[in-house]
Amino acid sequence: MVNDALLAKWVWRYRVEEENIWRRVVTTCHGRSRKWSSLPSNPALSRVWKNIMSMEFKVLVEGKRIHNHIKGVLGDGSEGEEDIKNWKWTRPPSSPDEVSELGNCSVQLGGIFTASVKDKWMWKPDVSGQFSTKLFTRIALGTLNEEDLYPTKSCGWVPAKCNILIWRAALDRIPTRQALVRRNIAVESYVCALCGEVTETVDHIFTACSISLKVWNRSCVWAKLPPFFAFSFKDILDYHKSVGGDKKTKELVCGLVVVAVWCIWKARNEKIFADGRGDSEEILGSLDHLDFFLVKM
Ligand SMILES: [Zn+2]
């Protein structure tokens, strides 16, 4: 099992360490795979990488090969070998059918616009998108539990709808504008509906948006909590672990975070679909009006 986990780590590293020398050597010796879903392997060479790839072919996790658990997330299309803006054709179209197919392909791609964040690779089983041998081993052994998949337990005393939003956001399954663009759904703009500054992603809305930062800062001052520094959605969900106090205090802080996330997302939706202002005052106002929360504090 340890070997399988280390093998998976090699596959992951090949994907993400594009600039490293060892990766370039492998690519030079074994060529480039033209598919996102597979890795290069030159059968004529008898080298370590070939052995790694032959093992990769045999190891199945939840019935799938390791590379099937790695997903390419399209951003601005500027990273990697498969740059969609600069196709690297092996030959020009050679028949009327191929010319027609190329024309259709170009028309369909013409309706797609890409986000202003970089392309990236994600390890699908982990909400953070990062590979870990620990999680890999648990999946392979079938000992995965809810806590491994979700960064936080649900807070029992906040409404279920808030916990559901948290789970969906942690899995990048809420309809941010970037997510809609990724699914080829037409949106009038891909910038954040709250601040209007950068591409609307889960991480941006809840950790980097100037509107939500004001909400976090004011909430921390109000609840006498340490300053809030988050670089990803997962950091938000881990925040309660960093505050002092007993278990009940941490649970209350966890609840504050969950409810604040829900209020931020609600304000975002009301700004788009209703007549909400979507500013920090409005969000803090809705937090203030949640009687159940004030009673608990
Ligand atoms: Zn924003």
Side-chain angles (χ1 to χ4, degrees):
M1 189 48 64
V2 173
N3 274 350
D4 290 353
L6 292 176
L7 167 67
K9 193 168 185 181
W10 273 109
V11 175
W12 168 251
R13 288 185 61 195
Y14 182 83
R15 280 295 181 216
V16 298
E17 296 183 8
E18 287 194 24
E19 299 304 318
N20 274 4
I21 288 178
W22 75 269
R23 205 264 198 194
R24 291 187 190 179
V25 170
V26 168
T27 304
T28 303
C29 294
H30 293 269
R32 294 185 170 195
S33 167
R34 294 190 58 78
K35 296 178 184 172
W36 275 33
S37 59
S38 61
L39 299 173
S41 179
N42 182 351
L45 294 176
S46 177
R47 298 287 171 89
V48 176
W49 182 252
K50 190 186 156 197
N51 293 337
I52 289 176
M53 283 302 95
S54 64
M55 280 174 64
E56 195 272 340
F57 194 75
K58 294 172 192 160
V59 174
L60 298 180
V61 181
E62 293 187 321
K64 294 178 186 171
R65 285 170 61 189
I66 293 165
H67 68 72
N68 286 326
H69 292 279
I70 300 173
K71 177 174 83 170
V73 178
L74 182 64
D76 59 6
S78 63
E79 294 284 308
E81 298 143 5
E82 296 86 2
D83 182 344
I84 68 159
K85 290 175 188 166
N86 298 296
W87 296 93
K88 297 180 180 72
W89 301 105
T90 53
R91 62 173 174 78
S94 59
S95 69
D97 283 348
E98 286 184 359
V99 171
S100 170
E101 284 173 5
L102 178 59
N104 288 338
C105 178
S106 300
V107 168
Q108 289 191 22
L109 287 173
I112 294 174
F113 57 89
T114 54
S116 62
V117 292
K118 290 192 167 181
D119 305 341
K120 63 179 178 182
W121 292 104
M122 285 188 72
W123 175 249
K124 288 196 282 186
D126 194 317
V127 293
S128 72
Q130 296 300 306
F131 177 84
S132 81
T133 49
K134 181 180 163 191
L135 186 65
F136 175 90
T137 306
R138 288 194 182 177
I139 295 170
L141 290 173
T143 56
L144 200 64
N145 58 37
E146 191 179 84
E147 261 187 272
D148 294 318
L149 288 174
Y150 302 111
T152 184
K153 285 182 183 174
S154 59
C155 290
W157 56 271
V158 301
K161 62 185 177 183
C162 300
N163 283 319
I164 290 168
L165 173 68
I166 287 283
W167 284 8
R168 293 185 62 213
L171 294 167
D172 198 11
R173 286 184 188 159
I174 57 172
T176 60
R177 286 174 163 175
Q178 186 202 43
L180 295 174
V181 168
R182 218 162 51 211
R183 290 175 211 155
N184 292 339
I185 296 171
V187 291
E188 60 187 50
S189 164
Y190 58 79
V191 297
C192 171
L194 291 175
C195 69
E197 289 165 6
V198 298
T199 300
E200 188 184 82
T201 63
V202 170
D203 283 344
H204 168 78
I205 293 177
F206 299 108
T207 69
C209 183
S210 54
I211 304 296
S212 57
L213 285 176
K214 283 181 193 166
V215 173
W216 295 124
N217 290 339
R218 291 271 298 277
S219 299
C220 287
V221 171
W222 171 72
K224 298 187 174 62
L225 293 168
F228 189 88
F229 298 108
F231 298 98
S232 69
F233 192 72
K234 190 172 185 307
D235 292 341
I236 289 180
L237 304 178
D238 285 340
Y239 174 70
H240 66 287
K241 297 175 187 168
S242 67
V243 301
D246 57 16
K247 192 179 168 190
K248 192 180 176 200
T249 304
K250 290 184 196 299
E251 200 175 298
L252 289 172
V253 173
C254 176
L256 168 62
V257 169
V258 171
V259 174
V261 164
W262 188 78
C263 288
I264 290 169
W265 183 246
K266 179 167 167 277
R268 175 264 189 201
N269 288 339
E270 287 180 352
K271 186 172 180 184
I272 296 176
F273 303 112
D275 56 355
R277 298 196 313 273
D279 57 27
S280 57
E281 296 302 322
E282 186 181 60
I283 299 169
L284 286 161
S286 61
L287 258 173
D288 245 2
H289 285 99
L290 294 171
D291 292 339
F292 70 91
F293 181 74
L294 295 173
V295 168
K296 284 279 179 182
M297 287 299 281

